[in-house]
Amino acid sequence: MKVLIIGQGGREHALAWKVKKSPRVKRIYCASGNGGTARVAANVPIRSDDTKALMRFAEDEKIDLTIVGPEAPLALGVVDSFREKGLRVFGPTKAASALESSKIFTKLLARDMRIPTADFEIFDKPDKAKDYVRSQKYPVVIKADGLAQGKGVIVAKDKNEAESAIDRIMVEKAFGHAGDRIIVEECLRGEEASIIVISDGENVVPLASSQDHKRLHDGDKGPNTGGMGAYSPAPVVTDKIFSGTITDMIGPAIRGMKEKGAPLSGVLYAGIMITENGPKLLEFNVRFGDPETQAILPRLESDFVEMIEASIDGLLKGHELAWNDKSCVSVVMASGGYPGKYEKEKKITGLDKVRKLKETFVFHAGTKLVDNNVLTTGGRVLNVVALGSDIKEAIDKVYLACGEIKFEGAHYR
Ligand code: AMP
Ligand code: GLY
């Protein structure tokens, strides 16, 4: 079986690594991949938003299964295009991707399906939004409706911050058309966690819980980033919270999408806030989390490709997954300057030493392989991952490995 993975980050390296363990898989391609996927897959220089070129490649190479990593190609309808050509693909259609590509769509679905979430109002005119925020309790949360690479949410601590966020999104169009409409919502307090499930449009199979760490520095300080690390399981997610999220959020969303004629086949990722009044939905994503996936997949014992195929074929009912009982921690090593401007093309050393460590893996994100040297190409460079019998052992192992890996300017929390 030939598998194509679309994307180029740490999530896609983890996906390729896990797919490779499936006995039926003979060859893996990654478009466009990175220095790490180059060792488990053949990298193909096609951008993940170039649907036509991806389809041509899948047809020419007789790809048996395509797995889509990032949200942008899903929102563009890559799955619909592949399906029209009879190509087998894992992921939601463009219509179902609205659960991630429109926060307003999700809020309205949540209202219809009585999914617990923050109270909200929708605006399509900046003046109306500003009138509204003048009478609100602070902080309030302002969100661009569309995809904004994780930067479209602003927690405003006073009226001035709220008004300038409205201007940035709706008037200056900092995120383009993603900011044509906004949500103003109640600020929730608590701890965040991620519950990710695989769906076939009707049935779901949950993956292990996880939690990512968005702030740059230790103790959740410093600016927000794309995620500096993750662990699984998330200790804050008790069995009750886990099953409550499935019954009160995931289940109604899957039913609601089916009723709308846009069943969600693929991944459903619920970002939740565990508040004093119970868990509430922050967002849905329709793809694997990054960096959560890097901490989840090393714990999965079952065949990943079988699960993906059961989702595509509508056969997830009764599909069970086996997990090891270890804790997994993933730490992001970033370039000097990240999340601001950073330098590239730094040589990475020490990866060979880490390869010899037990239950320790490195999933590459912003790297490339040049003449057998691994060079940095992005802000988030590597995900260093370790399994341990408990979270403390996993943490000790992961930092031991981080200490072996060197590149100029490297930093991690
Ligand atoms: P979202 O893309 O909607 O999940 O928002 C991104 C991040 O913004 C979340 O992971 C939270 O940290 C924060 N956030 C979003 N909505 C709220 C809210 N209602 N209250 C507090 N924080 C929020
Ligand atoms: N880790 C957050 C996300 O994947 O959206």
Side-chain angles (χ1 to χ4, degrees):
M1 177 178 201
K2 285 179 168 182
V3 179
L4 168 65
I5 295 170
I6 299 177
Q8 56 178 28
R11 164 182 53 205
E12 286 76 22
H13 187 186
L15 289 170
W17 169 85
K18 186 64 188 167
V19 164
K20 191 160 186 230
K21 295 186 182 297
S22 291
R24 286 165 52 217
V25 172
K26 291 281 171 291
R27 197 150 169 71
I28 309 174
Y29 299 88
C30 208
S32 55
N34 58 41
T37 61
R39 291 190 190 273
V40 277
N43 284 346
V44 191
I46 305 176
R47 287 166 49 120
S48 55
D49 59 0
D50 190 348
T51 307
K52 279 205 179 114
L54 291 167
M55 275 198 314
R56 208 175 310 126
F57 178 81
E59 282 185 319
D60 291 349
E61 287 297 326
K62 303 201 167 35
I63 298 292
D64 300 292
L65 170 65
T66 298
I67 301 172
V68 189
E71 62 276 19
L74 294 170
L76 285 172
V78 69
V79 167
D80 310 62
S81 301
F82 269 60
R83 282 195 193 161
E84 276 161 27
K85 287 262 183 218
L87 293 163
R88 210 164 151 75
V89 59
F90 173 73
T93 58
K94 182 173 177 168
S97 300
L99 276 174
E100 176 162 3
S101 63
S102 169
K103 290 186 188 295
I104 292 177
F105 179 91
T106 292
K107 285 303 243 188
L108 295 175
L109 182 83
R111 188 177 273 168
D112 277 357
M113 301 305 293
R114 300 177 188 280
I115 296 171
T117 188
D119 288 338
F120 67 100
E121 291 291 335
I122 297 166
F123 295 94
D124 59 4
K125 300 255 177 343
D127 292 348
K128 290 256 164 62
K130 284 185 194 168
D131 280 347
Y132 177 76
V133 296
R134 281 184 202 118
S135 64
Q136 290 306 295
K137 277 199 301 223
Y138 282 85
V140 294
V141 183
I142 317 268
K143 299 183 172 185
D145 175 41
L147 293 179
Q149 295 181 320
K151 299 189 181 98
V153 175
I154 293 124
V155 180
K157 67 175 183 311
D158 56 34
K159 190 170 71 65
N160 287 343
E161 278 189 16
E163 289 188 1
S164 63
I166 293 167
D167 277 334
R168 241 167 66 71
I169 299 174
M170 300 189 90
V171 182
E172 294 155 31
K173 297 273 179 210
F175 312 112
H177 285 302
D180 287 349
R181 293 191 294 163
I182 61 165
I183 296 170
V184 180
E185 75 178 30
E186 164 202 13
C187 186
L188 300 174
R189 286 173 210 279
E191 193 145 357
E192 288 182 48
S194 312
I195 311 278
I196 303 175
V197 306
I198 309 296
S199 172
D200 61 7
E202 194 163 339
N203 311 289
V204 300
V205 173
L207 304 184
S209 69
S210 59
Q211 200 174 17
D212 74 346
H213 300 87
K214 293 207 172 74
R215 299 301 191 102
L216 185 64
H217 302 303
D218 289 339
D220 272 340
K221 302 232 163 48
N224 254 333
T225 68
M228 293 302 289
Y231 52 60
S232 173
V236 288
V237 179
T238 58
D239 289 349
K240 185 165 170 244
I241 291 174
F242 193 82
S243 57
T245 303
I246 304 287
T247 21
D248 303 340
M249 301 188 200
I250 305 261
I254 296 291
R255 279 198 303 282
M257 293 305 285
K258 194 173 168 219
E259 281 164 19
K260 283 182 186 293
L264 182 122
S265 162
V267 176
L268 185 59
Y269 163 134
I272 63 167
M273 182 80 88
I274 302 166
T275 72
E276 270 175 17
N277 303 318
K280 298 204 176 180
L281 179 73
L282 286 173
E283 63 167 344
F284 279 132
N285 295 319
V286 293
R287 49 163 177 88
F288 290 104
D290 188 344
E292 290 92 329
T293 305
Q294 293 88 305
I296 291 174
L297 291 185
R299 300 188 51 223
L300 179 62
E301 299 282 341
S302 308
D303 190 297
F304 184 74
V305 171
E306 268 177 26
M307 173 189 81
I308 297 286
E309 297 219 288
S311 156
I312 296 175
D313 294 332
L315 296 173
L316 275 182
K317 194 168 183 171
H319 193 96
E320 284 194 19
L321 297 177
W323 299 90
N324 65 38
D325 56 6
K326 309 224 163 184
S327 292
C328 189
V329 176
S330 168
V331 170
V332 169
M333 294 185 76
S335 292
Y338 176 81
K341 225 168 115 60
Y342 53 83
E343 291 184 359
K344 297 182 188 174
E345 309 275 328
K346 304 291 179 200
K347 187 172 165 186
I348 305 172
T349 60
L351 292 169
D352 42 341
K353 283 192 200 142
V354 173
R355 215 165 287 139
K356 295 190 192 112
L357 299 176
K358 242 181 90 197
E359 297 187 314
T360 306
F361 321 91
V362 180
F363 296 127
H364 294 217
T367 73
K368 64 179 176 185
L369 196 59
V370 180
D371 301 334
N372 243 356
N373 288 321
V374 182
L375 306 182
T376 68
T377 60
R380 286 187 296 166
V381 177
L382 300 169
N383 301 263
V384 184
V385 180
L387 287 164
S389 53
D390 55 25
I391 201 140
K392 188 183 168 302
E393 189 186 281
I395 287 174
D396 290 344
K397 279 160 86 174
V398 90
Y399 285 110
L400 185 77
C402 289
E404 296 285 0
I405 299 172
K406 312 272 182 227
F407 53 91
E408 199 188 311
H411 64 101
Y412 50 92
R413 65 174 262 195

